[in-house]
Amino acid sequence: MQDVFKERLNELVKKGAINAQDATIPDYGPLPEFEDSPPAEEREEADEEDEEEEEEEEEEEDDDSDDEGARRRARKSGRQSSRRDRGEDDDPHKKRGRPPKVFTPLEARINELLRGLRRYKNREGQIAMVHFEKLPDKTELPDYYAAISEPIALDLIKRKYKRKKYQTLDQVVRDLDLMFENAKKYNKEGSLVYEDAVVLQRDAHMLAEEQKARPDDDFRDEDGKLPLATIEHNGQTWRVGA
């Protein structure tokens, strides 16, 4: 890709569309090592497994002591054993030719915000965010959709986050606010869901302010590198993934 990019830039210089200075590529160091990407079917299967394991890891961190947590760990161990039986490497990133997951400062802040909300347990000892994981079934609660004009749940917020739809932490907080306001509108004041929505909404704003107060340098990796979402060069903004 780098060679093709340089070739296209040289063509633009020859055509007079840009000058040689504009065609100069900044030196950001050597490219990381890579492996050939697996077929599309393997990538889709790997992504589904990764998302499932991420959700299970979050739940295990919330409460490792309950029976359900033990069952989740057993299922995860079974999948890993199955991979070894097939001769697959235990390291999914190495096997699939994928780089380790890195977060930009914004992504890291969003991740910390969402994980922080899962730590709160309500008066019944439940993880309060469980109420807000998914939207109600339309066939079971049609009146919910009659009462709520903008339905949203945590899984939709996570999907937007993973697809890089959020440009600021405040955008995430606005979606969380909408989710909690919907819950307060549909559920009676004094009910468990209503009470959990009030507490979680307050905590969401508190956690967001804590994350915004952190400097970007807090999110450097073990090598001191800081992933960036955009790069400024010659007055132009180059956005990762755009």
Side-chain angles (χ1 to χ4, degrees):
M1 288 298 294
Q2 189 178 50
D3 291 340
V4 171
F5 190 55
K6 289 179 179 179
E7 182 181 339
R8 294 292 184 269
L9 284 174
N10 289 332
E11 290 177 1
L12 292 173
V13 172
K14 291 177 181 178
K15 292 178 180 178
I18 61 174
N19 58 44
Q21 183 178 358
D22 290 337
T24 302
I25 301 176
D27 183 11
Y28 292 112
L31 293 171
E33 295 182 1
F34 68 94
E35 298 179 15
D36 290 338
S37 298
E41 292 181 359
E42 289 185 18
R43 288 200 303 271
E44 290 177 1
E45 181 181 350
D47 288 342
E48 290 176 359
E49 288 183 2
D50 284 348
E51 287 188 7
E52 185 178 346
E53 288 180 7
E54 282 178 9
E55 291 177 359
E56 288 178 358
E57 286 171 2
E58 286 180 0
E59 292 170 356
E60 287 168 14
E61 288 176 1
D62 295 327
D63 191 356
D64 283 338
S65 62
D66 62 6
D67 292 338
E68 181 59 28
R71 288 194 291 271
R72 285 193 296 267
R73 289 191 294 277
R75 290 197 300 270
K76 181 178 179 182
S77 176
R79 282 198 303 272
Q80 291 172 340
S81 298
S82 177
R83 286 176 180 171
R84 287 194 292 271
D85 292 341
R86 296 196 302 267
E88 296 182 9
D89 198 307
D90 285 343
D91 184 350
H93 297 304
K94 182 177 179 181
K95 174 66 181 177
R96 299 167 189 158
R98 296 166 58 190
K101 182 176 294 185
V102 293
F103 295 113
T104 65
L106 173 60
E107 290 170 337
R109 289 184 173 98
I110 296 173
N111 189 54
E112 288 298 315
L113 168 59
L114 298 180
R115 289 170 68 89
L117 289 174
R118 288 191 61 84
R119 297 191 184 103
Y120 172 69
K121 292 187 178 181
N122 58 29
R123 54 181 163 85
E124 293 190 359
Q126 301 170 328
I127 296 170
M129 281 300 289
V130 169
H131 300 309
F132 310 95
E133 292 282 355
K134 297 181 182 296
L135 289 171
D137 187 287
K138 289 184 178 180
T139 58
E140 294 180 0
L141 286 177
D143 61 324
Y144 179 87
Y145 294 90
I148 303 301
S149 59
E150 295 183 76
I152 189 169
L154 186 60
D155 62 338
L156 300 178
I157 294 174
K158 285 183 177 178
R159 193 176 305 160
K160 289 177 67 174
Y161 156 55
K162 290 178 180 178
R163 294 179 179 176
K164 304 183 187 299
K165 299 296 184 181
Y166 294 117
Q167 303 303 316
T168 68
L169 196 61
D170 287 335
Q171 291 176 344
V172 184
V173 174
R174 281 198 292 272
D175 275 354
L176 289 169
D177 274 337
L178 175 61
M179 181 176 72
F180 295 131
E181 288 297 328
N182 286 348
K184 291 191 292 184
K185 180 178 180 180
Y186 182 75
N187 294 275
K188 293 181 179 180
E189 187 172 355
S191 67
L192 185 62
V193 176
Y194 188 101
E195 290 179 358
D196 287 350
V198 171
V199 175
L200 288 170
Q201 188 171 21
R202 179 200 65 199
D203 287 355
H205 283 263
M206 180 184 67
L207 290 166
E209 291 304 315
E210 289 177 357
Q211 290 302 318
K212 286 192 285 187
R214 296 176 64 183
D216 285 355
D217 283 342
D218 278 6
F219 304 103
R220 292 185 181 277
D221 65 16
E222 57 186 13
D223 297 322
K225 296 179 180 178
L226 182 67
L228 299 176
T230 59
I231 297 174
E232 300 286 343
H233 178 63
N234 284 351
Q236 291 183 312
T237 300
W238 299 77
R239 187 177 299 279
V240 177

